[in-house]
Amino acid sequence: MGNWDWQVFLQDPGGKIPTYWQWLVSAWGWTVSVSLCSLVVALVLGSLVGVIRTLPDSPWLVRFGNAWVELFRNIPLLVQIFLWYHVVPKMFPVMAGLPPFILVVFALGFFTSARIAEQLRSGIQALPKGQRYAGMAVGFTTWQYYRYVILPMAYRIIIPPLTSESMNIFKNSSVAFAVSIPEMIQFAMQAGEETARVTEMYMAVTVLYVISAMVINRIMAWVEKKVRVPGFVVAGTGGGGH
């Protein structure tokens, strides 16, 4: 196609990696690692904060959850990356020795946790109030009716937005290049500069992003199909968690 030279990926970039293609695959591996680890952090924290925001008779916990969401979703991700990389280790010396990979995972995970918390809150509040009352009627504690009644249904409701967040966290991992994580954007920038084949490098990276996002979409679609409750329809937006 035009003056494109795809054989550049078979050239030797020097160093430990034999070809640019293998370097690209290695960079893709770093991107996947950052994304998956960040997603785990985001799901754990987002679930916890989402539940906290719907607890009955716990106004201070609700305020804490609301503050968490407002803080982490209103600060740009790139700013949060730099804060975790430059500021947090100085404020907490115990974190000074952490590798940049861990700090980026925390930054991306905390950022996404605010979005997941909001989605889970909406999912819980979309459930009919009878869900909560049914749990209370059989003698469940607050923890138990969340665990066995509310959350299993709320997670089913929010699988579509969770799919979007899973795809977004993969794409957002591209900002890790700012703190020298050897992921795909950093590969494209360095390899493009070395070979003067910027178009080829960025096209290859784009294709890998698209393929990865499509795989995530298909996996989540399969999960949604498996956990769907036949005939279940959300009844209004009454506070199932309130």
Side-chain angles (χ1 to χ4, degrees), residues 35-80:
S35 304
L36 291 180
C37 292
S38 301
L39 183 59
V40 170
V41 172
L43 285 172
V44 172
L45 291 177
S47 296
L48 180 61
V49 175
V51 168
I52 283 175
R53 297 180 72 202
T54 63
L55 287 175
D57 306 319
S58 301
W60 287 105
L61 286 176
V62 172
R63 291 190 184 100
F64 170 80
N66 292 339
W68 179 285
V69 170
E70 293 305 317
L71 174 65
F72 287 104
R73 76 175 179 179
N74 288 319
I75 300 176
L77 176 57
L78 189 58
V79 174
Q80 293 191 39

Side-chain angles (χ1 to χ4, degrees), residues 78 81-82 85-86 104 173-181 183 186:
L78 189 58
I81 294 260
F82 285 130
Y85 188 73
H86 294 290
V104 166
S173 68
S174 61
V175 301
F177 83 92
V179 290
S180 301
I181 301 297
E183 47 75 60
Q186 189 182 68

Side-chain angles (χ1 to χ4, degrees), residues 20-195:
Y20 283 104
W21 167 250
Q22 288 170 297
W23 184 2
L24 173 59
V25 172
S26 174
W28 178 77
W30 277 98
T31 295
V32 171
S33 298
V34 168
S35 304
L36 291 180
C37 292
S38 301
L39 183 59
V40 170
V41 172
L43 285 172
V44 172
L45 291 177
S47 296
L48 180 61
V49 175
V51 168
I52 283 175
R53 297 180 72 202
T54 63
L55 287 175
D57 306 319
S58 301
W60 287 105
L61 286 176
V62 172
R63 291 190 184 100
F64 170 80
N66 292 339
W68 179 285
V69 170
E70 293 305 317
L71 174 65
F72 287 104
R73 76 175 179 179
N74 288 319
I75 300 176
L77 176 57
L78 189 58
V79 174
Q80 293 191 39
I81 294 260
F82 285 130
L83 287 174
W84 277 93
Y85 188 73
H86 294 290
V87 179
V88 172
K90 293 182 179 179
M91 295 177 61
F92 304 97
V94 69
M95 302 185 69
L98 292 179
F101 176 87
I102 300 298
L103 297 175
V104 166
V105 165
F106 282 157
L108 189 52
F110 278 54
F111 174 79
T112 309
S113 73
R115 301 170 62 87
I116 291 177
E118 179 67 11
Q119 292 160 3
L120 184 59
R121 180 195 64 81
S122 298
I124 291 173
Q125 293 183 337
L127 290 171
K129 292 182 179 181
Q131 296 278 346
R132 178 190 169 212
Y133 297 147
M136 296 174 65
V138 297
F140 282 170
T141 63
T142 299
W143 158 251
Q144 288 174 326
Y145 72 67
Y146 268 90
R147 166 65 179 83
Y148 297 108
V149 180
I150 293 178
L151 290 179
M153 298 303 293
Y155 279 118
R156 287 173 167 89
I157 293 172
I158 67 169
I159 284 180
L162 279 182
T163 300
S164 296
E165 289 307 323
S166 300
M167 297 168 69
N168 285 337
I169 207 169
F170 192 90
K171 293 179 285 186
N172 287 340
S173 68
S174 61
V175 301
F177 83 92
V179 290
S180 301
I181 301 297
E183 47 75 60
M184 290 198 290
I185 294 299
Q186 189 182 68
F187 159 80
M189 294 171 64
Q190 292 185 357
E193 183 177 346
E194 290 178 8
T195 62

